[in-house]
Amino acid sequence: MTRLFNDPAAFADEALEGFTAAHRRWVRPVTGGVVRATATPAGQVAVVIGGGSGHYPAFSGLVGRGLAHGAAVGNVFASPSARQIHSVATAAHAGGGVLLMYGNYAGDVLHFGQAAERLAADGVETRTFAVADDISSAGPQESAKRRGIAGDLPVFKAAAAAAEQGLPLEEVLRVAERAGARTRSFGIAFSGCTLPGADHPLFTVPEARMAVGLGIHGEPGIGEEALPTADEAARLLVDTLLEELPEDVAGPAGQRVAVILNGLGSVKYEELFVVYRKVAALLGDAGVEIVDPEVGELVTSFDMAGISLTLTWLDDRLEELWRAPADTPAYRKGALDAAEPDLDRAPVAAAQDTAVSDAAACGATAVPAASDASRRAAATVLAALDAVARVVDAHADELGRIDAVAGDGDHGIGMRRGSTAAHRAAADAHGLGAGAGTVLTRAADAWADKAGGTSGALWGTILRSLGTALGDRDAPDGARVAEGVTEASAAVRRLGGAEVGDETMVDVLVPFADALAAAAAEGLPLAEAWDRAATTATAAAAGTADLLPRRGRARPHAEKSLGTPDAGAHSLALITRAVHGALLDHH
């Protein structure tokens, strides 16, 4: 378990603060993460990686010459927000464009995609690439749905080494695609991990058993087997990976591979070496030549007792990039020339970067002009967001338990972070005299930033859609609110790609929006219309227990979720009912 922490909600921020203090030779802090301490050479493609905290040395530990130019760092097991990614990428960019790289998880895909759109709007040429190497999370015919685990490292390194050689953005992207297509990973675990402040692990493994095909966010494995010896574990990992070769590799004999034997947190180096001796022997027996193997903790999951094996099948070009030198806090290879100092950066820049608050980044010290009617409506919005934060806090443990049935168990934690931050930002904006629209959009940004992950992206979208519909000029009526909810429903489906029947929050949001629009069209007062729609939402959330998930981290464990409602759908239903109470109180 994680023993040393202060406020669990501040763990990720405090860990990043300590990391940057310890590694100023390599990195400097910026809002949202870190960038290289040395300047990105003018015209060089900036490779910006990122993901949630809890996986060190991924992602911040891989920033430095020969590897990433920057890393956006999210909360524990939650993707960074689009605004954080945009901030890091802007700081790293040096005129050659930006390649955003991350593991293939729904929240990361959403936030990095939004960040790419914002960068493009700024005139920065940007591409994205999601690593999808975990063969246990989807079959070969659905490889695009696979998760990104320890295969992140060789793919990140290939792209970064190509950027270091001065290749243009499109060629760096092609290198990433080539490395990703030739990388496969598979893992096992003997116990789950426990997040800071939690009193139990996200999943457990029975005594004398192991979980097979685990994720790195506390997702359970796809099956269980008897606890193996070290040699038996090595054989399982090697045999499983040799069963699926890249399309252009006819057989293992005569091939060269980059090998990573990765410890996930509690399996330490001597144990890894015992396993690796057999891995090396088995690959040798198959006629495979190992190139610069890595054995150690490279992509972790707090204190999870587990290991994974990654094979990247090399060609001459990928081998050159794999062998290329790198110098980062957690990964070093070969030798580099002396670093060029960043002459344009003032000595106090790092301190100034860390001092930039979320409020200042949003321009939250000033608000647009608003009518008296909209400011009065903002008080109701603030009360509704207070009710949201309170109901989420009261049900956070329940939401985590529901999410842990087939997912990673962090939905309650993320929702608590997001709703608390949203209420705080809304209160600040309301105190400055903001109208209803601005209060909601400030809350949207805060929710997305602090929650991260899929829920952060989607709830940020919901609140922003509502804020846009309400605006700061008029007193919103039931029809205006219903219009905003309808647009939020459409925006969430556009952003996340889910539809009714996929067992997601969309299974509640769509019928809720439809019911609210119908009630408003009948001329019902807002509180009464919302009550009717909230009843519909509660029934829809219960109905998700009969669905199989087709998206998100629960998808590989779809059968396990039968009989349990979707956590995101359930939390949305709770929130709609809580907001109804606030509407009654401010009627």
Side-chain angles (χ1 to χ4, degrees):
M1 63 183 295
T2 307
R3 297 173 178 83
L4 295 175
F5 55 88
N6 298 305
D7 178 0
F11 182 88
D13 290 339
E14 291 180 349
L16 185 62
E17 182 182 351
F19 165 77
T20 55
H23 296 295
R24 294 198 183 279
R25 170 186 155 191
W26 291 277
V27 301
R28 69 180 179 96
V30 296
T31 301
V34 296
V35 296
R36 292 184 188 179
T38 55
T40 302
Q44 186 175 108
V45 173
V47 175
V48 175
I49 64 175
S53 298
H55 304 303
Y56 189 85
F59 295 87
S60 54
L62 303 178
V63 173
R65 291 190 304 148
L67 238 162
H69 296 77
V73 181
N75 221 310
V76 174
F77 287 2
S79 66
S81 71
R83 193 169 61 177
Q84 290 169 319
I85 299 161
H86 177 270
S87 169
V88 174
T90 299
H93 180 238
V98 173
L99 176 59
L100 301 175
M101 302 186 71
Y102 46 91
N104 190 32
Y105 296 90
D108 295 279
V109 172
L110 294 178
H111 286 290
F112 277 90
Q114 289 178 323
E117 292 174 356
R118 296 184 189 184
L119 289 164
D122 294 343
V124 177
E125 190 176 9
T126 307
R127 300 291 184 271
T128 65
F129 185 77
V131 181
D133 58 302
D134 177 20
I135 67 171
S136 68
S137 54
Q141 303 308 314
E142 295 184 304
S143 59
K145 295 181 179 179
R146 288 176 168 173
R147 305 176 289 210
I149 53 174
D152 283 356
L153 174 59
V155 182
F156 291 168
K157 187 175 186 303
E164 205 81 45
Q165 294 175 349
L167 296 183
L169 180 58
E170 290 300 335
E171 291 189 35
V172 174
L173 174 60
R174 282 195 289 272
V175 166
E177 292 170 341
R178 176 70 168 166
R182 284 178 152 245
T183 299
R184 308 282 190 276
S185 299
F186 184 70
I188 57 177
F190 316 108
S191 73
C193 59
T194 305
L195 302 185
D199 57 5
H200 59 276
L202 291 178
F203 74 92
T204 58
V205 180
E207 191 74 23
R209 304 283 289 176
M210 70 171 172
V212 177
L214 69 147
I216 58 169
H217 298 93
E219 307 100 317
I222 59 174
E224 286 182 7
E225 294 185 12
L227 189 68
T229 65
D231 284 0
E232 289 168 344
R235 185 173 295 279
L236 173 64
L237 295 171
V238 171
D239 288 352
T240 302
L241 289 178
L242 291 185
E243 287 176 0
E244 187 190 318
L245 304 178
E247 291 183 0
D248 56 351
V249 174
Q255 298 295 325
R256 292 161 294 160
V257 296
V259 177
I260 296 174
L261 183 62
N262 177 59
L264 282 155
S266 291
V267 177
K268 307 312 292 184
Y269 282 77
E270 283 85 352
E271 294 173 271
L272 291 171
F273 291 138
V274 171
V275 175
Y276 182 74
R277 53 174 274 286
K278 188 63 173 178
V279 167
L282 291 169
L283 289 173
D285 291 344
V288 175
E289 178 186 347
I290 297 173
V291 178
D292 283 3
E294 297 287 348
V295 179
E297 295 179 344
L298 295 160
V299 179
T300 62
S301 185
F302 277 109
D303 60 332
M304 183 187 290
I307 59 176
S308 64
L309 181 65
T310 298
L311 302 180
T312 298
W313 299 84
L314 303 172
D315 55 22
D316 290 344
R317 180 72 173 123
L318 290 177
E319 181 173 348
E320 174 194 358
L321 299 170
W322 175 242
R323 291 184 182 273
D327 184 25
T328 77
Y331 185 87
R332 298 165 204 170
K333 178 179 286 190
L336 288 161
D337 295 335
E340 291 292 332
D342 186 356
L343 300 177
D344 295 329
R345 183 177 300 130
V348 296
Q352 290 172 340
D353 283 332
T354 55
V356 175
S357 67
D358 288 339
C362 294
T365 54
V367 296
S371 68
D372 290 342
S374 185
R375 284 196 293 268
R376 287 192 295 272
T380 302
V381 170
L382 180 61
L385 289 169
D386 177 54
V388 170
R390 285 187 286 107
V391 76
V392 167
D393 184 64
H395 292 271
D397 290 343
E398 174 195 4
L399 294 173
R401 286 193 299 272
I402 292 172
D403 189 37
V405 171
D408 54 14
D410 69 346
H411 183 69
I413 296 171
M415 290 290 290
R416 177 185 276 151
R417 285 194 299 251
S419 60
T420 300
H423 177 249
R424 186 180 300 118
D428 290 344
H430 181 254
L432 293 170
T438 295
V439 166
L440 279 164
T441 54
R442 294 283 170 87
D445 286 341
W447 193 314
D449 279 353
K450 293 303 181 183
T454 306
S455 66
L458 298 182
W459 274 100
T461 297
I462 289 170
L463 296 182
R464 181 167 289 278
S465 297
L466 280 168
T468 300
L470 267 58
D472 291 330
R473 302 307 308 166
D474 302 319
D477 56 12
R480 181 74 63 82
V481 173
E483 176 188 336
V485 173
T486 297
E487 174 51 35
S489 172
V492 164
R493 282 177 284 163
R494 286 195 302 270
L495 181 63
E499 293 293 343
V500 172
D502 286 344
E503 202 201 12
T504 69
M505 70 181 302
V506 167
D507 289 296
V508 171
L509 183 56
V510 169
F512 172 75
D514 290 347
L516 183 62
E522 293 177 20
L524 295 180
L526 176 58
E528 188 175 341
W530 194 283
D531 179 34
R532 181 188 295 182
T535 299
T536 298
T538 300
T544 62
D546 299 324
L547 300 175
L548 287 173
R550 296 200 291 256
R551 291 184 174 271
R553 292 180 190 168
R555 183 188 50 78
H557 311 283
E559 290 75 13
K560 292 183 178 180
S561 72
L562 279 176
T564 302
D566 175 72
H570 184 55
S571 62
L572 174 55
L574 292 172
I575 285 170
T576 61
R577 182 51 63 192
V579 170
H580 175 247
L583 292 176
L584 287 176
D585 291 342
H586 285 73
H587 182 62

